[in-house]
Amino acid sequence: MQHLRFLHYIDAVARCGSIRAAAEQLHVAASAVNRRVQDLEYELGTPIFERLPRGVRLTAAGELFVAYARRRNADLEQVQSQIQDLSGMKRGRVTLAASQALAPEFLPRVIHAFQAQRPGIAFDVKVLDRERAVLAVTDFAADLALVFNPPDLRGLTVIAQARQRICAVVASDHPLAKRTSLRLKDCLDYPLALPDSSLSGRNVLDELFDKSSARPRPQLVSNSYEMMRGFARETGGVSFQIEIGAGSTEGEVAIPIDERSLASGRVVLVALRERVLPVASAAFAEFVAGKLADTTHNAT
């Protein structure tokens, strides 16, 4: 399948935007990668990369060819997975793109539970913002994406979804820690750590603040949930996270925000429409769908 390896070279150059960087990623000589690019361009009769002072970028013909190469690679992975399944092999790999809010608690727990049943399955997980996570699926860089409030689902199939409340996360000795629910105004007397605009949880909070007279004055804005939670622990403040990712840990408590005007978001598991998933990824998608259904039932 040497020709497929050469297609992989082209895909790597497109992703890296540089022949040298792609060669380093592939652990081959840059001259070998450049030669394969030139051979392909000669065979196609047109350039697929525009040479720039620093790096390369795809031409219109290159965009078409790379899309073809990625489909071929995805089809091959799916066939290899089916062959392994037919021969009784219990190994495989799941590639997943996920929102940051799901990384600390939910995903490690679900992956561990899945691997307890299928110990031969390995995972390649990329933690990305929601736009890039969805793009990873459409670009064949990931089989699945698990994201909070995805921006655009065109071309994707929703496998499962679950409504999610926003929670305030505080230290276990915080004055609010014994409460079973909170209003946002209850949190304003304490140092606030808010997500920045790259995190979809910020949109949900902003919608509520826009409808109220309360105006938050956050002492910290960050694109890291771990940073926000750490700040809240140190200062006796409050951070916010979706329920599925908030999971109360030692020294912390997650308390649901109860506001009539606070729209609940949703965690969505998606795959590329009409793509047949590799066996391992299809099995994991079914497993995650069950876990998301459990979170919905537990919240009601």
Side-chain angles (χ1 to χ4, degrees), residues 22-34:
E24 291 176 356
Q25 184 182 90
L26 296 165
H27 304 292
V28 297
S31 59
V33 176
N34 188 50

Side-chain angles (χ1 to χ4, degrees), residues 125-178:
V125 179
K126 298 290 188 296
V127 178
L128 305 169
D129 63 53
R130 55 183 181 162
E131 286 85 3
R132 290 172 60 205
V134 168
L135 185 61
V137 171
T138 59
D139 281 351
F140 294 91
D143 299 328
L144 302 165
L146 187 62
V147 292
F148 179 59
N149 281 359
D152 187 356
L153 296 177
R154 285 177 295 181
L156 302 174
T157 295
V158 175
I159 299 172
Q161 58 184 307
R163 292 288 176 185
Q164 287 294 300
R165 296 179 293 182
I166 297 290
C167 290
V169 182
V170 300
S172 55
D173 60 353
H174 193 280
L176 299 175
K178 302 297 185 182

Side-chain angles (χ1 to χ4, degrees), residues 194-225:
L194 295 184
D196 74 6
S197 59
S198 70
L199 301 177
S200 51
R202 179 60 182 263
N203 296 334
V204 176
L205 290 168
D206 282 346
E207 285 180 15
L208 179 60
F209 285 126
D210 287 343
K211 295 174 183 176
S212 71
S213 58
R215 288 293 177 265
R217 294 182 178 179
Q219 278 78 2
L220 174 73
V221 174
S222 176
N223 66 347
S224 167
Y225 283 107

Side-chain angles (χ1 to χ4, degrees), residues 237-252:
V238 181
S239 67
F240 300 90
Q241 198 162 356
I242 58 173
E243 194 168 15
I244 199 171
S248 296
T249 58
E250 185 176 355
E252 288 182 330

